[in-house]
Amino acid sequence: QVQLVESGGGWVQPGGSLRLSCAASGFTFSSNAMAWVRHAAGKGLEWVSHINNGGDHTSYAGSVKGRFTISRDNAKNTLYLQMNELTLDDAATYYCLKSISVASLLYDYWGQGTQVTVSS
């Protein structure tokens, strides 16, 4: 069965950095696009970033563009999100999502999430 396990969350001060990871199993990782979304307390779900199956096409929400970098290692079945210059608005639970195809923005599985806390 499909499993997506996020890790790397934690506490960081404003301006700091974190790298999230998502270990995937139960499907052919290199055949599916992936994405990150986040959910902050009291706010709706926000799409953060998307990467195609090969890792050569990426897209970002305007709120994170230039600060976050999505990447993947298909040999390790792992998705990453490098987050730099973190702000209070970035505090949220971050989820990785599996796309239904090589590039689609439709997703069919997501993980349990990893919490990112930004505070001074």
Side-chain angles (χ1 to χ4, degrees), residues 28-94:
T28 304
F29 183 70
S30 59
S31 295
N32 294 85
M34 300 289 293
W36 290 96
V37 298
R38 65 187 181 185
H39 184 223
K43 299 182 181 180
L45 198 64
E46 180 184 14
W47 172 85
V48 174
S49 184
H50 174 97
I51 187 168
N52 72 331
N53 68 313
D56 54 338
H57 292 285
T58 59
S59 54
Y60 299 91
S63 58
V64 307
K65 196 168 187 178
R67 300 186 298 120
F68 289 14
T69 302
I70 190 171
S71 62
R72 64 192 295 160
D73 186 335
N74 285 346
K76 295 183 178 179
N77 289 353
T78 303
L79 175 72
Y80 302 101
L81 185 68
Q82 177 67 44
M83 307 187 296
N84 299 328
E85 301 174 36
L86 285 161
T87 71
L88 298 178
D89 289 339
D90 295 317
T93 300
Y94 285 72

Side-chain angles (χ1 to χ4, degrees), residues 2 8 17 28 34 39-40 58 62 79 103 107 109 114-115 119:
V2 172
S17 299
T28 304
M34 300 289 293
H39 184 223
T58 59
L79 175 72
Y107 310 102
Y109 289 91
T114 186
Q115 180 74 38
S119 71

Side-chain angles (χ1 to χ4, degrees), residues 4-28:
L4 301 169
V5 181
E6 300 94 335
S7 62
W11 174 84
V12 64
Q13 291 184 324
S17 299
L18 281 176
R19 188 175 85 152
L20 306 183
S21 298
C22 173
S25 62
F27 65 102
T28 304

